Amino acid sequence: MNPPPQQAPQPSAPRRRPYGSVRLPAPLVAVPSEPRPGAAPAVRRWYGRRIPLPLLSIATLRRTD
């Protein structure tokens, strides 16, 4: 058997960026937004009594009484 012919190494091609990516001149800096006047707080907590709910399943959702 003959060994396979030797191939010249391929020149390294420039790497392609993922589809839709854009090269930016500098990293983006996130600026915190100021809260709007009269806006509700971001987190609402419920301190009332907790009511246990029954387990939810596909059969429960499909059941038509």
Side-chain angles (χ1 to χ4, degrees), residues 4-35:
Q6 294 292 328
Q7 293 182 350
Q10 298 290 330
S12 61
R15 293 187 53 140
R16 295 183 61 186
R17 293 189 303 276
Y19 177 76
S21 66
V22 178
R23 192 174 286 193
L24 298 174
L28 294 176
V29 178
V31 178
S33 61
E34 296 180 12

Side-chain angles (χ1 to χ4, degrees), residues 34-57:
E34 296 180 12
R36 290 177 287 170
V43 178
R44 293 177 184 243
R45 299 185 187 271
W46 176 257
Y47 293 104
R49 215 179 83 196
R50 292 181 182 242
I51 303 169
L53 297 175
L55 294 176
L56 186 63
S57 67

